[in-house]
Amino acid sequence: MRGRKTRGARPDYLSDALAVLGGWTRDGVQLKRVLTCDDSQHAALTERIKVAADTLRLRPRIQRADGHTQILLGASDGGAITDGEVTLAARIEDAYRTVVGPR
């Protein structure tokens, strides 16, 4: 399933998506998620995110610090969160469950 890449997604759509994507928060004009994983899990997760992001032509920002992986999705120009970014967030959740297992 591929999300449309339209700018200016309806606010109710974003609220509904965030309700389903537990753990993701809206940080201004970005989606943010902090995940707990070890270094090998981080490497596996990052590779899976890269594949999904390339498919959607998106560039998430991924940072590693103190046993946590922080992921930011959103346009660097400050544009609205897109359907594609919400789709990528869902794919990241699936990848995280695959790599780390259910929590």
Side-chain angles (χ1 to χ4, degrees):
M1 181 170 119
R2 184 173 180 168
R4 294 175 305 165
K5 290 184 168 184
T6 57
R7 291 270 168 213
R10 298 183 329 262
D12 55 326
Y13 167 80
L14 184 56
S15 296
D16 291 345
L18 288 175
V20 173
L21 294 171
W24 287 87
T25 58
R26 186 174 183 173
D27 185 15
V29 293
Q30 297 181 354
L31 295 177
K32 179 180 177 182
R33 180 77 156 106
V34 178
L35 303 167
T36 302
C37 54
D38 63 30
D39 289 339
S40 64
Q41 292 168 332
H42 169 80
L45 180 62
T46 300
E47 185 58 33
R48 289 172 187 257
I49 292 171
K50 182 184 180 317
V51 170
D54 285 349
T55 300
L56 294 167
R57 295 187 177 137
L58 296 172
R59 294 289 164 249
R61 286 174 295 290
I62 302 170
Q63 300 174 2
R64 178 84 176 141
D66 300 323
H68 294 88
T69 298
Q70 180 184 32
I71 304 164
L72 294 172
L73 303 175
S76 58
D77 64 1
I81 296 168
T82 67
D83 293 351
E85 289 154 349
V86 173
T87 298
L88 182 55
R91 289 186 180 181
I92 290 169
E93 284 301 307
D94 288 340
Y96 181 64
R97 281 191 295 274
T98 300
V99 170
V100 177
R103 293 202 168 227

